[in-house]
Amino acid sequence: METKQKIMEFNIDYKIILEKYTIEEVEERFGIWYSEAKRFIDKKGLSEQAVINTKRLGCAICDYFVDIIRMKEFHGIAHANLNKIYAYSCYWFVRRQPIQLLDNVGNEDLYINELFAVNNLIAKLRHHAGHADMIDRQSLLELGKLWLYNFKFRTFTAQTLETAICSFFVANGNRSIKI
């Protein structure tokens, strides 16, 4: 129920979203992102030092949906594939920085949004790779380090993330998964 309360704290400013999606779909996406971020914060032992700014998270959700709508219309497709969903989700999460630090933390946690995005993305890629037990853990660790470095210090877009995700699936004998 805490998530439902948090959902109500942000306003959807983009009418186009509600023309294409129901409020329940938007709330569901918000709830998923919120729960995943909260679980990450708790797992890192930072529940006293970090909170999820629901306004920033709401903006990230809205930006994600608007981008997906525009992309679908531009390409004339009914559904976005998994590569696009993960790329645009990750991009907007990092861009909007919804996890906020309340207190001083160690250097390893200064980039908590970027770290969350990398961990979340790697977990999802492993899950959808088809043969996750055969994926070299060291290669995934290196990929995660590269993404974290790029999120912190380089320019990236949702499209460059999509390309990287697609490359991961191709290298692992998978193609993008249609949903």
Side-chain angles (χ1 to χ4, degrees):
M1 286 312 212
E2 177 184 280
T3 303
K4 185 74 168 169
Q5 265 184 335
K6 296 295 181 191
I7 291 168
M8 303 317 284
E9 290 180 14
F10 78 92
N11 295 324
I12 298 173
D13 294 330
Y14 300 96
K15 282 185 178 181
I16 189 173
I17 296 170
L18 296 179
E19 292 171 3
K20 305 288 182 178
Y21 294 94
T22 66
I23 189 68
E24 290 79 18
E25 290 171 307
V26 176
E27 288 174 341
E28 179 183 6
R29 184 64 49 115
F30 183 98
I32 290 168
W33 287 18
Y34 185 91
S35 297
E36 289 174 348
K38 181 77 171 117
R39 216 173 11 257
F40 176 77
I41 291 168
D42 292 344
K43 188 174 180 181
K44 291 217 28 97
L46 294 172
S47 56
E48 299 295 320
Q49 292 90 5
V51 296
I52 302 165
N53 182 309
T54 55
K55 284 199 181 280
R56 284 179 178 256
L57 183 59
C59 286
I61 298 291
C62 289
D63 291 333
Y64 162 82
F65 274 110
V66 168
D67 269 0
I68 293 294
I69 290 166
R70 289 179 182 151
M71 183 266 315
K72 285 177 171 181
E73 289 175 353
F74 180 79
H75 293 290
I77 58 175
H79 300 285
N81 65 34
L82 200 57
N83 302 338
K84 289 179 183 354
I85 291 169
Y86 287 168
Y88 283 85
S89 297
C90 185
Y91 175 78
W92 283 113
F93 196 95
V94 172
R95 181 87 189 267
R96 292 296 180 203
Q97 303 279 306
I99 301 175
Q100 301 288 292
L101 298 171
L102 300 174
D103 201 357
N104 289 329
V105 294
N107 288 344
E108 69 277 359
D109 295 318
L110 285 177
Y111 294 95
I112 193 164
N113 290 284
E114 293 83 352
L115 190 57
F116 165 76
V118 168
N119 282 313
N120 190 272
L121 189 53
I122 293 290
K124 288 179 179 188
L125 294 181
R126 287 193 75 225
H127 174 75
H128 289 288
H131 51 280
D133 56 328
M134 297 176 65
I135 297 172
D136 179 44
R137 289 184 188 269
Q138 187 61 37
S139 295
L140 276 177
L141 181 61
E142 292 304 317
L143 178 60
K145 286 180 182 178
L146 179 62
W147 274 338
L148 184 59
Y149 181 84
N150 278 273
F151 291 164
K152 288 163 55 173
F153 304 115
R154 298 285 184 248
T155 301
F156 65 94
T157 66
Q159 294 83 6
T160 58
L161 283 172
E162 181 183 356
T163 301
I165 293 166
C166 184
S167 298
F168 171 84
F169 282 126
V170 169
N172 284 287
N174 254 329
R175 294 179 41 158
S176 66
I177 300 169
K178 302 283 186 195
I179 60 171

